Amino acid sequence: MVASARTEPRGSMAMELSTGDPALTARLERGMDASEKWLRALAAEAQDPCVAEVAGHLFGPGGKRLRPLLALVGAEFGERAPSSAVEAAALAELVHVASLYHDDVMDQARTRRGVPSVNARWGNATAVLAGNWLLSKAAQLAAELGPETIRLQSKVTNRLIMGQIRELVGPSDDDDPLSHYFTVVAGKSAALIAMALQLGAVRTGAPEHVVQTLAEYGEHLGIAFQISDDILDITSTSEVSGKEQAKDLAIGVASLPVLLALADERPEAGELRTLLTAATAGPEGAGLPRAVALLHRCGALAEARTVMHARLLRARTAANGLPDGPATRVLHALCDFVARRDH
């Protein structure tokens, strides 16, 4: 019988990963539970009750918890007990949640994980400071875990910030918009996913070539995951995603389907260009429903799925370079999961 690790109770996104190994399933479940407790305890230890409430706001709803899960899977490739990677799993989620607080300010988001976003509830300044507090706690934890963890955490924090800056500034006149998009995604999404796998592997003493292979896998999986998010922004309801439908489109974020549609020479692309100004006037922009309809009609969503599957193939190829076993099968199962997210 195929065993599965389910993270459904931790968020709106149901995830079922076939491990083929009940012992691995049990370890992952124990590790996820332990990292959850660690995160809640960290938020609660803030001396100021307001800081504790704001910092722990998104730990309650749970979310995907993909990054701590990946840290625990990465730990399976080392020689030491995977249970030693619980703090690494929590660290990965700390950095991720901090980035969400900052992202939601930039995107003027009103909801996150099915609840009001921090900026919507407490204001932009509080959201930024809470994100900074979480990053400071992540740095403190990294220092406790050792020099290699500090190096990984600081490098990824730098990539996150640069990705956010590049997204905010946008491409220059000389930049190819698609190349700019992938540079932003690599910094904001792929770097975190790759880091999570590396943190777990480093924590349990995995060989360097395995750590690097996991990083390569994570980079491709992270880009594919972001593309699936781009597609879901257009195709999914807020009840399913936990975020406002077409939020990226409404505020003018250049997601992959939009970039592909605008590069198209079909009639829909011309109308879409005209509508985007109206659509970006706000979430209630008059042109937004028509823009969403055009994206469905013009083939951009199908093309984005093709690009996503190409990235997943590259992730699978990297995973094939890892030792065969249940943990590697989880990595392939994650590719399957991303492939079917928007179906």
Side-chain angles (χ1 to χ4, degrees):
M1 182 176 180
V2 176
S4 299
R6 295 185 62 87
T7 61
E8 184 173 357
R10 297 181 172 88
S12 61
M13 184 181 75
M15 182 187 297
E16 185 169 312
L17 302 178
S18 296
T19 69
D21 186 326
L24 173 57
T25 298
R27 285 196 299 276
L28 293 177
E29 289 177 345
R30 287 195 300 270
M32 292 292 286
D33 288 342
S35 67
E36 291 279 314
K37 292 176 182 176
W38 200 98
L39 289 167
R40 288 195 294 269
L42 179 139
E45 76 180 19
Q47 295 181 355
D48 188 299
C50 180
V51 174
E53 183 182 10
V54 176
H57 181 63
L58 289 187
F59 295 147
K64 306 177 190 74
R65 292 294 192 264
L66 172 63
R67 290 142 195 92
L69 178 64
L70 285 170
L72 296 169
V73 173
E76 293 289 326
F77 293 92
E79 297 178 356
R80 293 191 287 274
S83 59
S84 63
V86 167
E87 291 88 350
L91 172 58
E93 187 68 2
L94 272 177
V95 178
H96 174 55
V97 172
S99 74
L100 295 183
Y101 283 22
H102 292 162
D103 271 351
D104 285 347
V105 170
M106 293 173 61
D107 297 345
Q108 306 167 46
R110 296 181 298 191
T111 59
R112 170 69 70 173
R113 295 180 174 176
V115 299
S117 62
V118 170
N119 51 295
R121 183 168 174 182
W122 287 283
N124 287 344
T126 298
V128 171
L129 290 172
N132 292 347
W133 187 84
L134 291 173
L135 285 177
S136 72
K137 298 303 289 186
Q140 181 180 345
L141 176 57
E144 294 171 2
L145 296 181
E148 183 62 14
T149 300
I150 295 174
R151 186 187 69 80
L152 286 170
Q153 186 266 340
S154 60
K155 179 180 178 181
V156 167
T157 300
N158 179 268
R159 289 184 65 186
L160 276 171
I161 294 169
M162 291 304 300
Q164 289 174 326
I165 291 172
R166 289 187 177 109
E167 182 180 56
L168 183 64
V169 172
S172 69
D173 293 338
D174 297 329
D175 285 340
D176 172 56
L178 283 173
S179 296
H180 180 267
Y181 166 86
F182 285 111
T183 299
V184 169
V185 170
K188 289 187 59 179
S189 300
L192 263 174
I193 287 178
M195 180 193 75
L197 287 158
Q198 290 176 284
L199 285 174
V202 166
R203 189 67 179 149
T204 57
E208 179 61 23
H209 73 276
V210 169
V211 175
Q212 293 307 313
T213 302
L214 287 168
E216 181 184 355
Y217 165 90
E219 292 280 342
H220 294 306
L221 183 75
I223 291 173
F225 198 89
Q226 181 57 56
I227 295 172
S228 73
D229 265 357
D230 288 354
I231 296 169
L232 284 169
D233 179 66
I234 298 164
T235 63
S236 181
T237 64
S238 58
E239 289 77 12
V240 173
S241 67
K243 298 180 286 188
E244 301 150 75
Q245 184 179 20
K247 178 62 180 177
D248 288 347
L249 183 62
I251 64 172
V253 172
S255 67
L256 184 61
V258 170
L259 290 173
L260 294 172
L262 292 177
D264 200 296
E265 296 182 357
R266 282 174 283 194
E268 292 91 345
E271 184 180 354
L272 183 62
R273 290 188 193 94
T274 303
L275 283 170
L276 282 180
T277 300
T280 57
E284 308 302 328
L288 188 59
R290 178 61 178 167
V292 170
L294 287 171
L295 285 167
H296 279 276
R297 282 177 47 191
C298 73
L301 292 170
E303 192 174 350
R305 288 188 181 99
T306 298
V307 177
M308 178 187 74
H309 284 291
R311 284 288 178 170
L312 289 174
L313 178 59
R314 295 174 73 174
R316 293 181 194 277
T317 300
N320 288 336
L322 294 166
D324 188 27
T328 299
R329 288 196 287 274
V330 169
L331 299 181
H332 283 288
L334 273 166
C335 292
D336 295 337
F337 171 77
V338 174
R340 65 174 183 266
R341 274 185 85 200
D342 65 315
H343 293 289

